[in-house]
Amino acid sequence: MFRTALRNVLAHKARLLMTVLAVTLGVAFVSGTLVFTDTLGKSLSGQSAKSYDGVAVSVTSYGTSRDEDGRKEGEPGISQQTLDKVKALGGVASVSGRVSGFAGVGDEDGKLIGSGWANKGGNYAPVVDGKDPRYTFTDGTGPTADGQIALDRSTAATGKYRVGDTVRVATNGPVKEYALTGVFTTEDGAVNAGGSLVLFDNAVAQRLYLQPGYYQELSIGARAGTTADRLLADVKPLLDAEHTRAQTGAALAAEQASDIKKQLGGMNQMLLGFAGIALFVGIFLIYNTFTMLVTQRTKELALLRAVGANRGQVIRSVLAEALLVGVLSSVIGLVTGIGLAVGMRSVMNAFDAKIPAGDLVVSPGTIGWALAIGVLVTTLAALLPAWRTGRIAPVAAMGSAHLPATAKSLVVRNVLGSVIGAAGVGGVLLGVSAGGEEGRMILAAGAFFMLIGMIVLLPLLSKPVIAAIRPVLQKLFGVPGKLAAQNAVRNPRRTAVTAASLAIGLTLVTALSVIGITMGQAVDRMSTDKLKADYRVSMAGGVGTLDKSVAETLAGAPGIKAVSPQASGYFTVGEDVRSVSGVTPQTIGQLLNIEVLGGSLDSLAKGEIAVAQKTAEKQKLTTGSTLQVRYDDGRQATLTVGAVYKDLEGLLSPYVMDNKILAAHSEEQYINEVYVNATGGESKAAQQAVVDALGKNPAMTVATQQDMRNEMGGLVNTALNIMYGLLGMALIISVLGVVNTLAMSVFERTQEIGMLRAIGLDRGRVKNMIRLEAVVISLFGAVLGVAIGVFLAWALGTTFASAVPDYALVLPFGRLGLFLLLAAVVGVLAAMWPARSAARLNMLTAIKTE
């Protein structure tokens, strides 16, 4: 029987090719994801370990904490005195202190070099022979004075800087110019991720990022003969155990490797999720293929039964075919996946997301998963056709090449599908009523059962849906249109399985499109419709906070009418910490569209506070109410509510007050944004004036309202494009399914097509008939997919609505129409080969075919 299975696989190579391609694509995605993430994880872990070469013990400061009264406890970092004590230990060979923070370098056009979030600054701390072991200089030396810096080699090359040049560097305040003293290489992760690293003199870095005389970390090297554990035991007594953490360099490297693995886990799960979708769609293609192959070989299999093969042997023969196809597909998919991983690595490097050098990691687990998944998916998909084959009586099979499904089986299927589908819809609606994260979990389960129910019910749905469009097809295309509609419902199970793959793919694509565009527009309204300012000044990449001097500088600049920072702070009411925004009372009303529901914003200038509506209702506050608060510095005060305003989530905290008062009680101002109005309104000249007032700071962006809209729209479109790309593989498999179905259908109807040709249907009309049949099947699946996708998007969006102000479902009719058009195009393209084959059939030969 195994030889029979092998012979059948070789005899039907062309028909099984689509199945091989479908499984290969799914396995390639799985193995490519595993190889890529394993390689990336090992490379990043190796890079992390290199950065701790020579570090026996690492000490990290947690900074100050606060007591019950809000007073700060502990030192801001590790003091120079502590470093000196550690250095004096007998087993210590070297100690270097580290401080770091944001630093942006501008190119010759003043634009920021690097990705924003990975632009770092740090201290140059020579410890051995006047050198810092963390950096290897390829040109010049490290900085030793206030006006000097060193740059990593990649940043220097991008900015075309050489030793001796003047470089503009910005932290979170005004841009400053420094003399470049050296260029170095480093294993720093930020640099390898496409960022930049600026080294300052030790005292300068402490002043910029912490406090003179203090460090954030210590890296300690051990003398020969001293173990890391012994040194760790000696160092710990010298530290403030409550505010610092000490561990060996090996332990820290292992911890970072574990963190990297966890961070990659999210990406890994997302990619594997899309691979799972592709494999799930592939199951329908495999099932359809084996169903049709078995149907066409019914007499052959019956003859095997007649000459002595039992039911089990016939079933095992079909499963053996699936096993051979699965093994072949898995091997090809594994090899393709490895190539895909290499390609993903090259693409990331091309987009400056630099990946550390390292060998490609193909673990035994990856090989095992690739082979197991491919074989399991193929075998499971072929199980039902094989089982049906075993149930066919030899005499009945030899008497009929095509045995229709019994009425009883269709009734059972329809009842089962209705129950599952109804349960799924009920689960979705229950999730909508529950709302929040819990509701989304219920909704996801309901959506799964809803899709399964749809798949089971598709044969029932296909007849009325396609019957409804038959008159249109007949009117537009004549006889070929009528025949195409009839052929599409001749075998409703086959049509259903073929349409199911398209329906699933388009359900996901539609749901993502609707929810993505809806959320994007909601965020756009939230961030721009309520913003009256001409410009928003923020740090590049949204990383870090602005210095308080930014608002002060802009307030005194020519051509500026109104300026207000959006400073974040907090105060404590009882035991509860409340978030508060610090603004400029005289101008905030000109910059933000604040709807005052009670009181007046003018009260802010009198030292009173404004409270958001939801918070006021929850805390039972009205204008005139008072709050006993404790500020960041521990001082207490009584504040009066002078205004209640409609919530501006994302723009203002639930409490708003004069920033002068907030700043007086805060050691550090966390200013995320500064809003600006120009005297003559928004214009290119006014925007340039703001840029000039900031000293052409490369680390800051001056965004117009349109820039903000583009920023939000760009994020949504980028996310959607990624999703479309990942789901594209599932749709490709769906196309293969349509091709396979039509090819099998043409083969089964060879005699019928010959008869149609004989009574006058020319080749062109035969082609049209096959093409229209493909379009009907494709559009049937697409319409169902779009409808269910819109329903699920509505349901999912409803669970987010309470957390997103001004949420309103948006149906992108243009995009949905494009999906349907693409489905029709898919049908036309999928029908090219089957239609050509049908048109080329010889009439007489076809008529004589059994």
Side-chain angles (χ1 to χ4, degrees):
M1 295 305 293
F2 181 78
R3 287 198 300 271
T4 302
L6 181 60
R7 178 185 61 79
N8 284 326
V9 169
L10 296 175
H12 301 103
K13 295 188 291 292
R15 298 177 202 170
L16 290 171
L17 178 62
M18 303 300 178
T19 297
V20 172
L21 285 174
V23 180
T24 295
L25 287 172
V27 171
F29 211 153
V30 172
S31 57
T33 296
L34 294 174
V35 170
F36 176 71
T37 52
D38 286 348
T39 301
L40 183 59
K42 185 177 180 181
S43 298
L44 292 174
S45 297
Q47 180 189 78
S48 175
K50 282 183 182 179
S51 65
Y52 290 101
D53 281 347
V55 178
V57 174
S58 177
V59 181
T60 304
S61 169
Y62 295 136
T64 57
S65 60
R66 296 181 183 275
D67 61 16
E68 295 181 355
D69 296 324
R71 292 187 294 267
K72 286 190 175 182
E73 294 181 322
E75 297 181 293
I78 304 168
S79 67
Q80 182 66 43
Q81 290 79 8
T82 301
L83 185 150
D84 293 337
K85 290 178 182 178
V86 171
K87 190 175 182 179
L89 292 173
V92 173
S94 63
V95 183
S96 61
R98 302 187 186 188
V99 288
S100 62
F102 173 81
V105 179
D107 61 16
E108 56 186 2
D109 298 322
K111 295 182 179 179
L112 182 69
I113 297 174
S115 54
W117 63 270
N119 296 111
K120 291 175 56 179
N123 62 317
Y124 179 69
V127 292
V128 180
D129 300 328
K131 297 179 180 179
D132 189 329
R134 295 172 292 182
Y135 312 108
T136 301
F137 278 82
T138 58
D139 193 13
T141 60
T144 56
D146 283 3
Q148 298 178 344
I149 60 163
L151 291 176
D152 68 272
R153 183 166 58 185
S154 177
T155 301
T158 302
K160 300 178 181 179
Y161 292 120
R162 297 181 180 179
V163 172
D165 287 349
T166 298
V167 181
R168 294 166 58 81
V169 180
T171 51
N172 66 339
V175 66
K176 295 182 180 179
E177 294 185 342
Y178 296 86
L180 182 63
T181 64
V183 177
F184 59 88
T185 59
T186 177
E187 293 295 334
D188 188 279
V191 174
N192 286 315
S196 62
L197 179 59
V198 182
L199 294 183
F200 299 94
D201 174 64
N202 190 62
V204 174
Q206 288 179 324
R207 188 169 64 248
L208 285 172
Y209 300 124
L210 194 59
Q211 191 171 310
Y214 287 93
Y215 301 93
Q216 295 161 334
E217 298 178 27
L218 295 183
S219 296
I220 307 169
R223 291 185 183 276
T226 302
T227 65
D229 291 333
R230 173 60 186 275
L231 189 58
L232 178 63
D234 292 341
V235 168
K236 279 187 174 181
L238 304 178
L239 305 174
D240 178 356
E242 186 177 350
H243 298 98
T244 59
R245 181 189 183 196
Q247 58 190 137
T248 63
L252 184 58
E255 183 180 281
Q256 290 195 357
S258 177
D259 291 341
I260 289 169
K261 187 175 181 180
K262 290 179 182 177
Q263 291 168 5
L264 292 174
M267 178 179 69
N268 200 18
Q269 290 174 7
M270 182 188 74
L271 292 175
L272 289 177
F274 283 101
I277 292 169
L279 287 168
F280 183 64
V281 171
I283 286 175
F284 296 100
L285 189 156
I286 300 164
Y287 168 81
N288 228 5
T289 300
F290 276 93
T291 297
M292 289 184 284
L293 285 176
V294 166
T295 301
Q296 292 167 12
R297 289 164 44 210
T298 302
K299 287 187 176 181
E300 174 191 332
L301 294 171
L303 183 60
L304 288 174
R305 291 288 308 278
V307 298
N310 60 35
R311 179 179 297 176
Q313 286 177 312
V314 172
I315 292 175
R316 288 194 293 272
S317 172
V318 177
L319 292 179
E321 293 180 42
L323 181 65
L324 290 171
V325 172
V327 170
L328 176 63
S329 304
S330 299
V331 172
I332 298 173
L334 176 62
V335 175
T336 306
I338 294 172
L340 183 64
V342 173
M344 290 170 68
R345 187 171 179 171
S346 300
V347 168
M348 290 188 71
N349 284 329
F351 281 96
D352 292 330
K354 302 175 184 176
I355 297 177
D359 297 331
L360 200 67
V361 178
V362 184
S363 68
T366 298
I367 297 173
W369 276 112
L371 294 174
I373 288 172
V375 171
L376 187 64
V377 166
T378 310
T379 306
L380 285 177
L383 188 59
L384 185 57
W387 178 73
R388 285 178 178 168
T389 300
R391 294 186 62 195
I392 299 174
V395 175
M398 293 178 70
S400 177
H402 306 289
L403 297 175
T406 64
K408 180 181 177 182
S409 68
L410 289 175
V411 169
V412 171
R413 176 176 183 144
N414 293 337
V415 171
L416 184 63
S418 299
V419 171
I420 296 174
V425 172
V428 170
L429 296 177
L430 181 62
V432 169
S433 63
E437 186 174 352
E438 181 182 353
R440 287 190 285 275
M441 295 296 290
I442 298 172
L443 191 152
F448 174 77
F449 285 107
M450 182 180 167
L451 286 174
I452 296 298
M454 176 203 72
I455 293 167
V456 176
L457 284 174
L458 275 177
L460 177 66
L461 296 172
S462 63
K463 288 188 176 182
V465 172
I466 295 176
I469 64 171
R470 185 188 303 169
V472 178
L473 290 174
Q474 185 172 354
K475 185 174 182 179
L476 292 176
F477 301 100
V479 173
K482 179 180 179 180
L483 292 173
Q486 291 175 342
N487 291 332
V489 293
R490 175 181 294 185
N491 191 328
R493 289 193 179 197
R494 182 186 302 167
T495 297
V497 172
T498 305
S501 56
L502 270 172
I504 292 169
L506 279 172
T507 293
L508 297 171
V509 169
T510 300
L512 288 172
S513 296
V514 174
I515 199 69
I517 292 172
T518 297
M519 294 294 287
Q521 292 196 16
V523 173
D524 179 55
R525 287 192 296 271
M526 181 177 66
S527 60
T528 57
D529 291 359
K530 296 179 181 179
L531 186 67
K532 294 196 290 185
D534 295 328
Y535 307 106
R536 182 198 67 191
V537 179
S538 60
M539 295 297 289
V543 178
T545 60
L546 298 166
D547 188 78
K548 63 181 181 180
S549 63
V550 172
E552 296 169 358
T553 300
L554 291 173
I560 303 297
K561 182 172 66 174
V563 175
S564 177
Q566 203 282 69
S568 299
Y570 72 91
F571 50 60
T572 305
V573 179
E575 299 297 326
D576 298 329
V577 176
R578 309 284 174 85
S579 175
V580 57
S581 291
V583 300
T584 302
Q586 295 79 8
T587 59
I588 190 63
Q590 303 173 45
L591 300 163
L592 295 181
N593 188 13
I594 304 175
E595 184 179 344
V596 180
L597 304 175
S600 171
L601 290 179
D602 294 338
S603 61
L604 295 177
K606 303 174 185 177
E608 297 180 353
I609 62 172
V611 185
Q613 181 184 13
K614 292 180 182 178
T615 302
E617 292 173 353
K618 184 177 180 181
Q619 303 298 329
K620 298 181 180 179
L621 298 173
T622 60
T623 53
S625 299
T626 59
L627 286 175
Q628 298 293 324
V629 305
R630 185 172 67 247
Y631 288 109
D632 184 24
D633 59 1
R635 297 181 184 178
Q636 297 186 356
T638 300
L639 297 178
T640 301
V641 177
V644 176
Y645 65 93
K646 190 173 181 179
D647 293 68
L648 285 176
E649 294 181 42
L651 294 175
L652 288 177
S653 299
Y655 297 88
V656 179
M657 66 188 306
D658 188 340
N659 192 47
K660 290 181 180 178
I661 299 174
L662 184 63
H665 295 285
S666 304
E667 292 187 15
E668 297 181 28
Q669 279 275 276
Y670 295 94
I671 303 176
N672 302 313
E673 299 165 338
V674 172
Y675 302 120
V676 182
N677 266 350
T679 303
E682 183 184 324
S683 67
K684 288 186 178 180
Q687 185 178 18
Q688 188 60 47
V690 176
V691 172
D692 292 341
L694 295 171
K696 297 181 179 178
N697 193 321
M700 296 181 190
T701 59
V702 179
T704 64
Q705 289 198 17
Q706 188 58 49
D707 291 334
M708 287 181 267
R709 286 191 174 93
N710 293 341
E711 180 182 316
M712 295 299 173
L715 291 174
V716 171
N717 288 330
T718 299
L720 286 177
N721 288 335
I722 292 172
M723 298 300 180
Y724 290 158
L726 294 173
L727 288 170
M729 188 171 63
L731 294 177
I732 290 172
I733 294 174
S734 300
V735 173
L736 297 178
V738 177
V739 174
N740 214 22
T741 295
L742 290 174
M744 295 292 187
S745 179
V746 168
F747 176 80
E748 287 179 358
R749 288 154 41 204
T750 299
Q751 188 180 58
E752 176 187 319
I753 293 172
M755 291 294 294
L756 290 172
R757 289 289 314 283
I759 61 176
L761 198 68
D762 60 27
R763 289 186 176 182
R765 290 183 177 183
V766 169
K767 287 183 179 180
N768 282 342
M769 178 182 70
I770 302 299
R771 290 193 195 105
L772 289 172
E773 183 179 346
V775 170
V776 167
I777 294 173
S778 299
L779 285 177
F780 171 55
V783 168
L784 284 177
V786 168
I788 296 172
V790 169
F791 174 69
L792 292 179
W794 165 80
L796 181 61
T798 303
T799 65
F800 286 106
S802 60
V804 181
D806 300 325
Y807 178 89
L809 185 69
V810 177
L811 293 180
F813 291 105
R815 195 166 296 198
L816 298 181
L818 179 62
F819 293 159
L820 295 177
L821 178 61
L822 288 175
V825 172
V826 162
V828 173
L829 294 177
M832 288 179 64
W833 173 50
R836 184 168 177 269
S837 299
R840 294 179 64 188
L841 288 174
N842 182 278
M843 283 184 287
L844 295 179
T845 304
I847 291 172
K848 290 188 294 181
T849 301
E850 294 186 7

